[in-house]
Amino acid sequence: TTKNLKPEISFDEEDSKHADEFISNEVKLNKGEHLIGLHIGAGKPQNRWSLLKFSDLIERINKEYPSKFFITGSVNDSEEISFIKEKLKVPIAFFLDHTINQIAALISKSDLFITNDTGIMHVAGATDVPQISIFGPTNPFQWAPIGENKIIVKKSDFIDDVSSDEVYEACKILLDRSEERRVGKECRS
């Protein structure tokens, strides 16, 4: 009988503490910076957006918005993670091989999460965090997370037809909204 069709993933205080320690010790987030997470892997190769485009996107966001970045993943993503480590000049933290609950806790503390169409997309979708999901062959109207501030980007069944410009424009929309909310909170304080 509910009209709320949003999925739920719970995490406890220990998971939340684990995420806070990662943010403090690895990400080293400063006041006024956005915390942006990314998931660059996917079990199905056709669901993986270009690592060059992810790298370009991170560099562009970093130029325009004060941000710190983290990547979620597992040992299955080792090639992708190695590529990003070598390619990027922007400092990035890696949250690898953690439980779904710990990942959900970390994502819930973020200002934006950008992901391929994969399982972690659904974990992020269960949070209230603004999210961009990049789609290729899968039907986003069947599989994309629903809710406020959840944006899907799809051009065709070939995921790399999605340009970094298109994903960056979606990022700008969500990060500008985040900055407006932040300024509004500071004005009320």
Side-chain angles (χ1 to χ4, degrees):
T1 59
T2 184
K3 292 183 181 182
N4 178 5
L5 301 177
K6 188 173 167 240
E8 289 183 20
I9 294 178
S10 61
F11 51 87
D12 61 22
E13 193 61 39
E14 195 63 34
D15 298 321
S16 186
K17 181 180 173 192
H18 188 75
D20 287 336
E21 288 172 358
F22 174 78
I23 293 167
S24 178
N25 299 332
E26 301 294 326
V27 176
K28 299 180 175 133
L29 188 68
N30 298 309
K31 185 175 178 159
E33 290 178 324
H34 295 283
L35 179 60
I36 300 174
L38 303 101
H39 190 82
I40 60 174
K44 299 175 185 173
Q46 66 269 27
N47 289 3
R48 287 187 213 132
W49 196 47
S50 163
L51 295 174
L52 289 172
K53 291 179 182 182
F54 267 118
S55 298
D56 177 61
L57 179 66
I58 292 167
E59 299 278 355
R60 290 176 72 182
I61 293 169
N62 191 56
K63 285 181 185 171
E64 295 297 320
Y65 297 91
S67 303
K68 291 283 175 66
F69 300 88
F70 69 89
I71 289 180
T72 59
S74 71
V75 293
N76 297 328
D77 305 311
S78 59
E79 287 181 35
E80 292 86 352
I81 289 163
S82 292
F83 180 90
I84 290 292
K85 282 181 178 178
E86 290 175 22
K87 176 77 175 142
L88 276 179
K89 296 176 183 101
V90 174
I92 197 153
F94 295 89
F95 197 70
L96 307 176
D97 296 314
H98 292 274
T99 68
I100 294 296
N101 305 74
Q102 291 168 337
I103 295 168
L106 178 59
I107 292 171
S108 74
K109 297 174 182 294
S110 305
D111 295 301
L112 175 62
F113 196 77
I114 306 161
T115 179
N116 289 318
D117 167 25
T118 191
I120 295 299
M121 174 188 74
H122 298 290
V123 174
T127 71
D128 292 329
V129 170
Q131 174 180 350
I132 298 166
S133 302
I134 307 166
F135 276 81
T138 313
N139 180 352
F141 298 108
Q142 182 177 7
W143 294 105
I146 58 173
E148 188 177 343
N149 294 320
K150 304 291 185 187
I151 295 176
I152 57 170
V153 184
K154 178 179 171 114
K155 283 287 262 215
S156 72
D157 283 347
F158 185 57
I159 196 166
D160 278 334
D161 282 348
V162 174
S163 71
S164 57
D165 288 339
E166 291 166 311
V167 178
Y168 180 70
E169 288 303 314
C171 290
K172 283 176 48 177
I173 290 167
L174 295 175
L175 289 170
D176 288 345
R177 285 181 193 166
S178 176
E179 288 189 355
E180 288 170 9
R181 284 190 303 273
R182 185 180 295 163
V183 168
K185 284 180 185 177
E186 289 172 3
C187 290
R188 288 190 296 270
S189 312

Coordinates of all heavy atoms in Angstrom, one line a residue, residues 49-132:
W49 N 31.9 2.6 -18.2 CA 32.2 3.8 -18.9 C 33.7 3.9 -19.0 O 34.5 3.5 -18.1 CB 31.6 5.0 -18.1 CG 31.4 6.3 -18.9 CD1 31.0 6.5 -20.1 CD2 31.7 7.5 -18.3 NE1 31.0 7.8 -20.4 CE2 31.4 8.5 -19.3 CE3 32.2 8.0 -17.1 CZ2 31.6 9.9 -19.2 CZ3 32.4 9.4 -16.9 CH2 32.1 10.3 -18.0
S50 N 34.2 4.6 -20.0 CA 35.7 4.8 -20.2 C 36.4 5.4 -19.0 O 36.0 6.4 -18.4 CB 35.9 5.7 -21.4 OG 37.2 6.2 -21.4
L51 N 37.5 4.8 -18.6 CA 38.3 5.3 -17.5 C 38.9 6.6 -17.9 O 39.1 7.5 -17.0 CB 39.4 4.3 -17.2 CG 38.9 3.0 -16.6 CD1 40.1 2.0 -16.5 CD2 38.2 3.1 -15.3
L52 N 39.2 6.9 -19.2 CA 39.7 8.2 -19.6 C 38.6 9.3 -19.3 O 38.9 10.4 -18.9 CB 40.1 8.2 -21.1 CG 41.3 7.4 -21.4 CD1 41.5 7.3 -22.9 CD2 42.5 8.1 -20.8
K53 N 37.3 8.9 -19.6 CA 36.2 9.8 -19.3 C 36.1 10.1 -17.8 O 35.8 11.2 -17.4 CB 35.0 9.3 -20.0 CG 35.0 9.4 -21.5 CD 33.8 8.9 -22.2 CE 33.9 9.0 -23.7 NZ 32.7 8.5 -24.4
F54 N 36.2 9.0 -17.0 CA 36.1 9.2 -15.6 C 37.2 10.1 -15.1 O 37.0 11.0 -14.3 CB 36.2 7.9 -14.8 CG 34.9 7.2 -14.5 CD1 34.6 6.0 -15.0 CD2 34.0 7.8 -13.7 CE1 33.4 5.3 -14.7 CE2 32.8 7.2 -13.3 CZ 32.5 6.0 -13.9
S55 N 38.4 9.9 -15.6 CA 39.6 10.8 -15.3 C 39.3 12.2 -15.6 O 39.6 13.1 -14.9 CB 40.9 10.3 -15.9 OG 41.2 9.0 -15.5
D56 N 38.9 12.4 -16.9 CA 38.6 13.8 -17.3 C 37.5 14.4 -16.5 O 37.6 15.6 -16.1 CB 38.1 13.7 -18.8 CG 37.7 15.1 -19.3 OD1 38.6 16.0 -19.3 OD2 36.5 15.2 -19.7
L57 N 36.5 13.7 -16.1 CA 35.4 14.2 -15.3 C 35.9 14.6 -13.9 O 35.6 15.7 -13.4 CB 34.3 13.1 -15.1 CG 33.1 13.5 -14.3 CD1 32.3 14.6 -14.9 CD2 32.3 12.3 -14.0
I58 N 36.7 13.8 -13.3 CA 37.3 14.1 -12.0 C 38.1 15.4 -12.1 O 38.0 16.3 -11.2 CB 38.1 13.0 -11.4 CG1 37.2 11.8 -11.1 CG2 38.9 13.4 -10.2 CD1 37.9 10.5 -10.8
E59 N 39.0 15.5 -13.1 CA 39.8 16.7 -13.3 C 38.9 18.0 -13.5 O 39.2 19.0 -12.9 CB 40.7 16.5 -14.5 CG 41.7 15.4 -14.4 CD 43.0 15.7 -13.5 OE1 43.1 16.9 -13.1 OE2 43.8 14.8 -13.3
R60 N 37.9 17.8 -14.2 CA 37.0 19.0 -14.5 C 36.3 19.4 -13.2 O 36.2 20.6 -13.0 CB 36.0 18.7 -15.6 CG 36.7 18.6 -17.0 CD 35.8 18.1 -18.0 NE 34.8 19.2 -18.4 CZ 33.9 19.1 -19.3 NH1 33.7 18.0 -19.9 NH2 33.1 20.1 -19.5
I61 N 35.7 18.5 -12.5 CA 35.0 18.8 -11.3 C 36.0 19.5 -10.3 O 35.7 20.5 -9.7 CB 34.4 17.6 -10.6 CG1 33.3 17.0 -11.5 CG2 33.9 17.9 -9.2 CD1 32.8 15.6 -11.0
N62 N 37.2 19.0 -10.2 CA 38.2 19.5 -9.3 C 38.6 20.9 -9.6 O 38.9 21.7 -8.7 CB 39.5 18.6 -9.3 CG 40.4 18.9 -8.2 OD1 40.1 18.9 -7.1 ND2 41.6 19.3 -8.6
K63 N 38.5 21.3 -10.9 CA 38.9 22.7 -11.3 C 37.8 23.7 -10.9 O 38.0 24.8 -10.6 CB 39.1 22.8 -12.8 CG 40.4 22.2 -13.2 CD 40.5 22.3 -14.7 CE 41.8 21.7 -15.2 NZ 41.9 21.6 -16.6
E64 N 36.5 23.2 -10.9 CA 35.4 24.1 -10.7 C 34.8 24.1 -9.3 O 34.2 25.1 -8.8 CB 34.3 23.8 -11.7 CG 34.7 24.1 -13.1 CD 35.0 25.6 -13.4 OE1 34.3 26.5 -12.8 OE2 36.0 25.8 -14.1
Y65 N 34.9 23.0 -8.6 CA 34.3 22.8 -7.3 C 35.3 22.3 -6.2 O 36.0 21.4 -6.5 CB 33.2 21.8 -7.3 CG 32.0 22.2 -8.2 CD1 32.0 21.8 -9.6 CD2 31.0 22.9 -7.8 CE1 31.0 22.2 -10.4 CE2 29.9 23.3 -8.6 CZ 30.0 23.0 -9.9 OH 28.9 23.4 -10.8
P66 N 35.4 23.0 -5.1 CA 36.3 22.5 -4.1 C 35.8 21.1 -3.6 O 34.8 21.0 -3.0 CB 36.3 23.5 -2.9 CG 35.0 24.2 -3.2 CD 34.7 24.1 -4.6
S67 N 36.6 20.1 -3.9 CA 36.1 18.7 -3.7 C 37.3 17.8 -3.3 O 38.4 18.0 -3.6 CB 35.5 18.1 -5.0 OG 34.5 18.9 -5.5
K68 N 36.9 16.7 -2.6 CA 37.7 15.5 -2.4 C 37.0 14.3 -3.0 O 35.8 14.2 -2.9 CB 38.0 15.3 -0.9 CG 38.9 16.4 -0.3 CD 40.4 16.2 -0.7 CE 41.3 17.4 -0.2 NZ 41.5 17.5 1.2
F69 N 37.7 13.4 -3.5 CA 37.2 12.2 -4.2 C 37.6 10.9 -3.5 O 38.7 10.8 -3.0 CB 37.7 12.2 -5.6 CG 37.3 13.5 -6.4 CD1 38.2 14.6 -6.4 CD2 36.2 13.5 -7.1 CE1 37.9 15.7 -7.1 CE2 35.8 14.7 -7.8 CZ 36.7 15.8 -7.8
F70 N 36.7 9.9 -3.7 CA 37.0 8.6 -3.3 C 36.4 7.6 -4.3 O 35.4 8.0 -5.0 CB 36.5 8.2 -1.9 CG 35.0 8.1 -1.7 CD1 34.3 6.9 -2.0 CD2 34.3 9.2 -1.3 CE1 32.9 6.9 -1.8 CE2 32.9 9.2 -1.2 CZ 32.2 8.0 -1.4
I71 N 37.0 6.5 -4.5 CA 36.5 5.4 -5.4 C 36.2 4.2 -4.6 O 37.0 3.8 -3.7 CB 37.5 5.1 -6.5 CG1 37.6 6.3 -7.5 CG2 37.2 3.8 -7.2 CD1 38.5 6.2 -8.6
T72 N 35.0 3.6 -4.8 CA 34.7 2.3 -4.2 C 35.0 1.2 -5.2 O 35.0 1.5 -6.4 CB 33.2 2.3 -3.9 OG1 32.4 2.5 -5.1 CG2 32.8 3.3 -2.8
G73 N 35.3 0.1 -4.7 CA 35.6 -1.1 -5.5 C 36.1 -2.3 -4.8 O 36.0 -2.3 -3.5
S74 N 36.6 -3.2 -5.5 CA 37.1 -4.5 -4.9 C 38.3 -4.9 -5.7 O 38.7 -4.3 -6.6 CB 36.0 -5.5 -4.9 OG 35.8 -6.0 -6.3
V75 N 38.8 -6.1 -5.3 CA 40.0 -6.6 -6.0 C 39.6 -6.9 -7.4 O 40.5 -6.9 -8.3 CB 40.5 -7.9 -5.3 CG1 41.1 -7.6 -3.9 CG2 39.4 -9.0 -5.2
N76 N 38.4 -7.1 -7.7 CA 38.0 -7.3 -9.1 C 38.2 -6.1 -10.0 O 38.2 -6.2 -11.2 CB 36.5 -7.7 -9.2 CG 36.2 -9.0 -8.5 OD1 37.1 -9.9 -8.5 ND2 35.1 -9.2 -7.9
D77 N 38.4 -4.9 -9.4 CA 38.6 -3.7 -10.1 C 40.0 -3.2 -10.1 O 40.3 -2.1 -10.4 CB 37.7 -2.6 -9.5 CG 36.2 -2.9 -9.4 OD1 35.7 -3.4 -10.4 OD2 35.7 -2.8 -8.3
S78 N 40.9 -4.1 -9.9 CA 42.3 -3.8 -9.7 C 42.9 -3.1 -11.0 O 43.7 -2.1 -10.9 CB 43.2 -4.9 -9.3 OG 43.1 -6.0 -10.2
E79 N 42.6 -3.6 -12.2 CA 43.1 -2.9 -13.4 C 42.6 -1.5 -13.5 O 43.4 -0.6 -13.9 CB 42.7 -3.8 -14.6 CG 43.5 -5.0 -14.8 CD 43.1 -5.8 -16.0 OE1 42.8 -5.2 -17.0 OE2 43.1 -7.0 -16.0
E80 N 41.3 -1.3 -13.3 CA 40.7 0.0 -13.4 C 41.3 1.0 -12.4 O 41.7 2.1 -12.6 CB 39.2 0.0 -13.2 CG 38.5 -0.7 -14.3 CD 38.4 -2.3 -14.2 OE1 39.0 -2.8 -13.3 OE2 37.7 -2.9 -15.0
I81 N 41.5 0.5 -11.1 CA 42.1 1.3 -10.1 C 43.5 1.7 -10.4 O 43.9 2.8 -10.2 CB 41.9 0.6 -8.7 CG1 40.4 0.6 -8.3 CG2 42.8 1.2 -7.6 CD1 40.0 -0.4 -7.3
S82 N 44.3 0.7 -10.9 CA 45.7 1.0 -11.2 C 45.8 2.1 -12.3 O 46.6 3.0 -12.2 CB 46.4 -0.2 -11.7 OG 46.6 -1.2 -10.7
F83 N 44.9 2.0 -13.3 CA 44.8 3.0 -14.4 C 44.5 4.4 -13.8 O 45.2 5.3 -14.1 CB 43.8 2.6 -15.4 CG 43.7 3.6 -16.5 CD1 44.5 3.4 -17.7 CD2 42.8 4.7 -16.5 CE1 44.4 4.3 -18.7 CE2 42.8 5.6 -17.5 CZ 43.5 5.4 -18.6
I84 N 43.5 4.5 -12.9 CA 43.1 5.8 -12.4 C 44.3 6.3 -11.5 O 44.6 7.5 -11.6 CB 41.8 5.6 -11.5 CG1 40.6 5.4 -12.5 CG2 41.6 6.8 -10.7 CD1 40.2 6.5 -13.4
K85 N 44.9 5.5 -10.7 CA 46.0 5.9 -9.9 C 47.2 6.5 -10.7 O 47.8 7.5 -10.4 CB 46.6 4.8 -9.0 CG 45.8 4.4 -7.8 CD 46.4 3.3 -7.1 CE 45.7 2.9 -5.8 NZ 46.2 1.8 -5.1
E86 N 47.4 5.9 -11.9 CA 48.5 6.4 -12.8 C 48.1 7.6 -13.5 O 48.9 8.5 -13.8 CB 48.9 5.3 -13.7 CG 49.6 4.1 -13.1 CD 49.9 3.0 -14.0 OE1 50.0 3.2 -15.3 OE2 50.1 1.9 -13.6
K87 N 46.9 7.7 -13.9 CA 46.4 8.8 -14.8 C 46.1 10.1 -14.1 O 46.4 11.2 -14.6 CB 45.1 8.3 -15.5 CG 44.4 9.3 -16.4 CD 45.2 9.5 -17.7 CE 44.4 10.5 -18.6 NZ 45.2 11.3 -19.3
L88 N 45.5 10.0 -12.9 CA 45.0 11.2 -12.2 C 46.2 12.0 -11.5 O 47.0 11.4 -10.8 CB 44.0 10.9 -11.2 CG 42.6 10.7 -11.7 CD1 41.6 10.3 -10.6 CD2 42.1 12.0 -12.4
K89 N 46.1 13.3 -11.6 CA 46.9 14.2 -10.8 C 46.2 14.6 -9.5 O 46.8 15.1 -8.6 CB 47.3 15.4 -11.6 CG 48.2 15.0 -12.8 CD 48.5 16.2 -13.7 CE 49.3 15.7 -14.9 NZ 48.5 15.7 -16.1
V90 N 44.9 14.5 -9.5 CA 44.0 14.8 -8.4 C 44.2 13.8 -7.3 O 44.1 12.6 -7.6 CB 42.6 15.0 -8.8 CG1 41.6 15.2 -7.6 CG2 42.4 16.0 -9.9
P91 N 44.4 14.2 -6.0 CA 44.4 13.2 -4.9 C 43.1 12.4 -4.8 O 42.0 13.1 -4.9 CB 44.7 14.0 -3.7 CG 45.1 15.3 -4.1 CD 44.6 15.5 -5.5
I92 N 43.1 11.1 -4.7 CA 41.9 10.3 -4.6 C 42.1 9.2 -3.6 O 43.2 8.7 -3.5 CB 41.5 9.8 -6.0 CG1 40.1 9.3 -6.0 CG2 42.5 8.8 -6.5 CD1 39.5 9.4 -7.4
A93 N 41.1 8.9 -2.8 CA 41.2 7.9 -1.8 C 40.4 6.7 -2.4 O 39.5 6.8 -3.2 CB 40.6 8.3 -0.5
F94 N 40.8 5.5 -1.9 CA 40.2 4.3 -2.4 C 39.6 3.5 -1.2 O 40.3 3.2 -0.2 CB 41.2 3.4 -3.1 CG 41.7 4.1 -4.4 CD1 42.8 4.9 -4.3 CD2 41.1 3.9 -5.6 CE1 43.3 5.6 -5.5 CE2 41.5 4.5 -6.7 CZ 42.6 5.4 -6.7
F95 N 38.3 3.2 -1.4 CA 37.5 2.4 -0.3 C 37.2 1.1 -0.9 O 36.2 0.9 -1.6 CB 36.2 3.2 0.0 CG 35.6 2.8 1.2 CD1 36.1 3.1 2.5 CD2 34.3 2.2 1.2 CE1 35.5 2.8 3.6 CE2 33.7 1.8 2.4 CZ 34.2 2.1 3.6
L96 N 38.2 0.1 -0.7 CA 38.1 -1.1 -1.4 C 37.8 -2.3 -0.5 O 38.3 -2.3 0.6 CB 39.5 -1.4 -2.1 CG 40.0 -0.2 -3.0 CD1 41.3 -0.5 -3.6 CD2 39.0 0.0 -4.1
D97 N 37.1 -3.2 -1.0 CA 36.8 -4.5 -0.3 C 36.1 -4.3 1.0 O 36.5 -4.9 2.0 CB 38.0 -5.4 -0.2 CG 38.6 -5.8 -1.5 OD1 37.8 -6.2 -2.4 OD2 39.8 -5.6 -1.8
H98 N 35.1 -3.4 1.1 CA 34.3 -3.2 2.3 C 33.0 -3.8 2.1 O 32.5 -4.2 1.0 CB 34.2 -1.7 2.6 CG 35.5 -1.1 3.0 ND1 36.0 -1.1 4.2 CD2 36.5 -0.5 2.2 CE1 37.2 -0.5 4.3 NE2 37.5 -0.1 3.0
T99 N 32.2 -3.9 3.2 CA 30.9 -4.5 3.2 C 29.9 -3.5 2.6 O 30.2 -2.3 2.5 CB 30.4 -4.8 4.6 OG1 30.2 -3.6 5.3 CG2 31.4 -5.7 5.4
I100 N 28.8 -4.1 2.1 CA 27.8 -3.2 1.5 C 27.3 -2.2 2.5 O 27.1 -1.0 2.2 CB 26.6 -4.1 1.0 CG1 27.0 -5.0 -0.1 CG2 25.4 -3.3 0.6 CD1 27.4 -4.3 -1.4
N101 N 27.2 -2.6 3.8 CA 26.7 -1.7 4.8 C 27.7 -0.5 5.0 O 27.3 0.6 5.2 CB 26.5 -2.4 6.1 CG 25.6 -3.5 6.0 OD1 25.9 -4.6 5.4 ND2 24.3 -3.4 6.4
Q102 N 29.0 -0.8 5.0 CA 30.0 0.2 5.1 C 30.0 1.1 3.9 O 30.2 2.4 4.0 CB 31.4 -0.4 5.3 CG 31.6 -1.1 6.7 CD 32.8 -2.0 6.7 OE1 33.4 -2.4 5.7 NE2 33.3 -2.2 7.9
I103 N 29.9 0.6 2.7 CA 29.8 1.4 1.5 C 28.6 2.3 1.6 O 28.7 3.5 1.3 CB 29.8 0.5 0.3 CG1 31.1 -0.3 0.1 CG2 29.5 1.3 -1.0 CD1 31.1 -1.4 -0.9
A104 N 27.5 1.8 2.0 CA 26.2 2.6 2.1 C 26.5 3.7 3.1 O 26.0 4.9 2.8 CB 25.1 1.7 2.5
A105 N 27.1 3.4 4.2 CA 27.4 4.5 5.2 C 28.3 5.6 4.6 O 28.0 6.8 4.8 CB 28.1 3.9 6.4
L106 N 29.3 5.2 3.9 CA 30.2 6.2 3.3 C 29.4 7.0 2.2 O 29.5 8.2 2.2 CB 31.4 5.5 2.7 CG 32.4 6.5 1.9 CD1 32.9 7.5 2.9 CD2 33.5 5.6 1.3
I107 N 28.7 6.3 1.3 CA 28.0 7.1 0.3 C 27.0 8.0 1.0 O 26.8 9.2 0.5 CB 27.3 6.1 -0.6 CG1 28.3 5.3 -1.5 CG2 26.3 6.8 -1.6 CD1 27.7 4.2 -2.3
S108 N 26.4 7.6 2.0 CA 25.4 8.5 2.7 C 26.0 9.8 3.2 O 25.3 10.8 3.5 CB 24.6 7.7 3.8 OG 25.5 7.6 4.9
K109 N 27.3 9.8 3.4 CA 28.0 11.0 3.9 C 28.5 11.9 2.8 O 29.1 12.9 3.0 CB 29.1 10.6 4.8 CG 28.6 9.9 6.1 CD 29.7 9.4 6.9 CE 29.2 8.6 8.1 NZ 28.5 9.4 9.1
S110 N 28.2 11.5 1.5 CA 28.8 12.2 0.4 C 27.8 13.2 -0.2 O 26.6 13.2 0.1 CB 29.0 11.1 -0.8 OG 29.9 10.1 -0.3
D111 N 28.4 14.1 -1.0 CA 27.6 15.2 -1.6 C 27.1 14.7 -3.0 O 26.2 15.3 -3.6 CB 28.4 16.5 -1.7 CG 28.7 17.0 -0.4 OD1 27.8 17.3 0.4 OD2 29.9 17.2 -0.1
L112 N 27.8 13.8 -3.6 CA 27.5 13.3 -4.9 C 28.2 11.9 -5.1 O 29.3 11.7 -4.7 CB 28.0 14.3 -6.0 CG 27.9 13.9 -7.5 CD1 26.4 13.7 -7.9 CD2 28.6 14.9 -8.3
F113 N 27.4 11.0 -5.8 CA 28.0 9.7 -6.1 C 27.8 9.5 -7.6 O 26.6 9.6 -8.1 CB 27.4 8.6 -5.3 CG 28.2 7.3 -5.3 CD1 29.4 7.2 -4.6 CD2 27.8 6.3 -6.1 CE1 30.1 6.1 -4.6 CE2 28.6 5.1 -6.2 CZ 29.7 5.0 -5.4
I114 N 28.8 9.1 -8.3 CA 28.8 8.9 -9.8 C 29.1 7.4 -10.0 O 30.2 7.0 -9.5 CB 29.7 9.8 -10.5 CG1 29.5 11.3 -10.1 CG2 29.6 9.6 -12.0 CD1 30.6 12.2 -10.4
T115 N 28.3 6.7 -10.8 CA 28.5 5.3 -10.9 C 28.1 4.7 -12.3 O 27.2 5.3 -13.0 CB 27.8 4.5 -9.8 OG1 28.0 3.1 -10.0 CG2 26.3 4.8 -9.8
N116 N 28.8 3.7 -12.7 CA 28.3 2.8 -13.8 C 27.0 2.1 -13.3 O 26.7 2.1 -12.1 CB 29.4 1.8 -14.1 CG 30.6 2.4 -14.8 OD1 30.5 3.2 -15.6 ND2 31.7 1.9 -14.4
D117 N 26.4 1.5 -14.3 CA 25.2 0.7 -14.0 C 25.7 -0.7 -13.4 O 26.2 -1.5 -14.2 CB 24.4 0.5 -15.3 CG 23.4 -0.6 -15.3 OD1 22.9 -0.9 -14.1 OD2 23.1 -1.2 -16.3
T118 N 25.7 -0.8 -12.1 CA 26.2 -2.0 -11.5 C 25.6 -2.1 -10.1 O 24.8 -1.2 -9.7 CB 27.8 -1.9 -11.4 OG1 28.3 -3.2 -11.0 CG2 28.3 -0.8 -10.5
G119 N 26.0 -3.1 -9.3 CA 25.3 -3.3 -8.0 C 25.5 -2.1 -7.1 O 24.6 -1.8 -6.3
I120 N 26.7 -1.5 -7.1 CA 26.9 -0.3 -6.2 C 26.0 0.8 -6.5 O 25.6 1.6 -5.7 CB 28.4 0.1 -6.1 CG1 29.2 -1.0 -5.5 CG2 28.6 1.4 -5.4 CD1 28.9 -1.4 -4.1
M121 N 25.6 0.9 -7.8 CA 24.6 1.9 -8.2 C 23.3 1.8 -7.4 O 22.7 2.8 -6.9 CB 24.2 1.8 -9.7 CG 23.1 2.7 -10.1 SD 22.5 2.3 -11.8 CE 21.6 0.8 -11.6
H122 N 22.9 0.5 -7.1 CA 21.7 0.3 -6.3 C 21.9 0.6 -4.8 O 21.0 1.1 -4.1 CB 21.2 -1.2 -6.5 CG 20.9 -1.4 -7.9 ND1 19.7 -0.9 -8.5 CD2 21.5 -2.2 -8.9 CE1 19.7 -1.3 -9.8 NE2 20.7 -2.1 -10.0
V123 N 23.1 0.4 -4.3 CA 23.5 0.7 -3.0 C 23.3 2.2 -2.8 O 22.7 2.8 -1.9 CB 24.9 0.2 -2.6 CG1 25.3 0.8 -1.2 CG2 24.9 -1.3 -2.6
A124 N 24.0 3.0 -3.7 CA 23.9 4.4 -3.7 C 22.4 4.9 -3.9 O 22.0 5.9 -3.2 CB 24.7 5.1 -4.8
G125 N 21.7 4.2 -4.7 CA 20.3 4.5 -4.9 C 19.4 4.4 -3.7 O 18.4 5.0 -3.5
A126 N 19.9 3.6 -2.7 CA 19.1 3.4 -1.5 C 19.4 4.5 -0.5 O 18.8 4.6 0.6 CB 19.5 2.1 -0.8
T127 N 20.3 5.4 -0.8 CA 20.6 6.6 0.0 C 19.9 7.8 -0.5 O 19.4 7.8 -1.7 CB 22.2 6.9 0.1 OG1 22.6 7.4 -1.2 CG2 22.9 5.6 0.5
D128 N 20.0 8.9 0.2 CA 19.4 10.2 -0.3 C 20.4 11.0 -1.0 O 20.1 12.2 -1.3 CB 18.8 10.9 0.9 CG 17.6 10.2 1.5 OD1 16.8 9.6 0.7 OD2 17.3 10.4 2.7
V129 N 21.6 10.5 -1.2 CA 22.7 11.3 -1.8 C 22.4 11.5 -3.3 O 22.0 10.6 -4.0 CB 24.0 10.5 -1.6 CG1 25.1 11.1 -2.5 CG2 24.4 10.5 -0.2
P130 N 22.6 12.7 -3.8 CA 22.5 13.0 -5.2 C 23.4 12.0 -6.0 O 24.6 11.7 -5.6 CB 23.0 14.4 -5.4 CG 22.7 15.1 -4.0 CD 23.0 14.0 -3.0
Q131 N 22.9 11.5 -7.1 CA 23.6 10.4 -7.8 C 23.4 10.6 -9.3 O 22.4 11.0 -9.8 CB 23.0 9.1 -7.3 CG 23.4 7.9 -8.0 CD 22.8 6.6 -7.5 OE1 22.1 6.7 -6.5 NE2 23.0 5.5 -8.2
I132 N 24.5 10.2 -10.0 CA 24.5 10.1 -11.4 C 24.8 8.7 -11.8 O 25.8 8.2 -11.4 CB 25.5 11.1 -12.1 CG1 25.1 12.5 -11.7 CG2 25.5 10.9 -13.6 CD1 26.2 13.5 -12.0

